[in-house]
Amino acid sequence: MSGVDWNGILQLPKGALAGNARIPKTMVIRQAELTKTDSRVLNKVRRLGHFATVQKSTTRIPPLVDGERDIQSVIFLCCEMAGSTAYAEVAGVLHKCFPNPTVILFDGSDEACISVATTRRSRAEHGAVVINTLDSTGRMHIGDEKLVPFLGSLAFGTLPQEDLGVFLEEIAWNIQLARVTPSLGFFPNCRLHQRAKFRALIERHGEVSSRIEALSGQRRTNTDLTLNETAHLRVQETTLNRELDSIVEEMKEICNA
């Protein structure tokens, strides 16, 4: 059973809950026609469950149908990991197995992760859907006090409910904010008209952080580097860390405006 009280966090209506009914991995592999490589990724999953379905009949939130999207329901899955923390890898496989937009609630040994995927109609294949965006919190500890506002932002009653599109987009937005919470030291908030600017900063923050991590990993693992090469990598890291600090300061200014 799940170690996290997910509905204590999400507070979904009872009619939306599916009892975390087990979804056999073999069925997912067969119906999604997964490759052998993708199938092996699911070996990192101990149990996959159907946690809830949010749709008009269960929550009164209307669907969203337009030229790009046909969102009739949002599926919540609970994924218990088998001693692995490869959340991003597993999410990349699982999300594409379901035609509906999905929210995956990951349980690790002493941590958790939330991943959300939005979908759109395929421009190449009639009737097919493809993943449009995929956002993940990454590894997080539910007991972290800095995450309390984030977890509160996921409560059903606090999310917009004009249609399933805006409902899902708000969850994805809150997950993006959670990604930068460790750097800021608090769960950020910004006015609606500042979201586009803040989103661009989040993307830049992720890019710079990834480059810093790559350089650091290169220094640690490449034993053939000369002293000059190592020094050059350190200079690059220092420059990028300054850029990251600048991005964080700009985020804070937007939040405090």
Side-chain angles (χ1 to χ4, degrees):
M1 293 294 290
S2 170
V4 179
D5 180 12
W6 284 114
N7 210 43
I9 295 169
L10 301 174
Q11 300 177 28
L12 294 169
K14 288 184 179 179
L17 301 178
N20 200 20
R22 181 176 173 271
I23 302 175
K25 289 187 290 182
T26 52
M27 183 183 72
V28 173
I29 291 169
R30 183 177 64 254
Q31 292 187 353
E33 298 181 346
L34 294 182
T35 64
K36 289 184 178 180
T37 299
D38 284 347
S39 298
R40 282 195 292 270
V41 170
L42 295 190
N43 290 334
K44 298 175 181 179
V45 175
R46 176 177 293 115
R47 186 182 189 279
L48 182 65
H50 178 197
F51 186 80
T53 298
V54 172
Q55 58 189 21
K56 187 175 182 180
S57 63
T58 61
T59 64
R60 298 184 180 180
I61 302 179
L64 171 63
V65 182
D66 58 25
E68 285 286 311
R69 295 162 294 179
D70 183 0
I71 304 177
Q72 298 292 331
S73 63
V74 177
I75 307 300
F76 285 72
L77 304 171
C78 190
C79 182
E80 297 179 37
M81 300 293 281
S84 171
T85 59
Y87 305 118
E89 185 181 16
V90 172
V93 172
L94 279 180
H95 279 304
K96 67 183 182 182
C97 292
F98 296 84
N100 308 82
T102 46
V103 178
I104 303 178
L105 312 168
F106 284 99
D107 273 3
S109 56
D110 63 346
E111 59 191 17
C113 173
I114 303 175
S115 179
V116 59
T118 64
T119 58
R120 62 169 174 80
R121 302 177 196 267
S122 172
R123 300 184 181 95
E125 185 179 351
H126 180 70
V129 296
V130 296
I131 292 177
N132 188 38
T133 64
L134 199 160
D135 294 287
S136 169
T137 61
R139 298 165 65 177
M140 63 178 186
H141 294 275
I142 295 295
D144 187 341
E145 290 187 2
K146 292 191 293 293
L147 290 175
V148 170
F150 163 62
L151 298 176
S153 76
L154 301 177
F156 181 78
T158 69
L159 295 167
Q161 299 178 13
E162 292 94 323
D163 60 52
L164 290 173
V166 296
F167 172 80
L168 190 66
E169 287 169 4
E170 190 69 8
I171 294 176
W173 171 245
N174 290 333
I175 285 175
Q176 290 175 43
L177 296 180
R179 293 283 300 189
V180 295
T181 293
S183 292
L184 294 173
F186 59 88
F187 181 66
N189 189 22
C190 67
R191 299 180 187 276
L192 190 60
H193 72 278
Q194 293 274 47
R195 281 197 178 187
K197 182 177 181 180
F198 203 87
R199 183 177 282 110
L201 288 171
I202 291 174
E203 291 176 359
R204 185 61 183 154
H205 181 279
E207 292 169 0
V208 174
S209 296
S210 294
R211 288 171 62 190
I212 292 172
E213 185 176 346
L215 288 172
S216 179
Q218 189 177 348
R219 280 196 301 104
R220 290 195 309 269
T221 60
N222 193 340
T223 57
D224 295 328
L225 292 173
T226 66
L227 288 176
N228 283 341
E229 289 171 333
T230 299
H232 181 64
L233 290 176
R234 288 187 184 279
V235 169
Q236 288 181 283
E237 281 186 65
T238 299
T239 301
L240 288 171
N241 274 308
R242 287 172 181 164
E243 183 178 353
L244 195 64
D245 290 342
S246 177
I247 293 169
V248 169
E249 287 306 310
E250 191 170 354
M251 286 179 172
K252 290 180 178 179
E253 288 176 8
I254 291 175
C255 293
N256 294 329

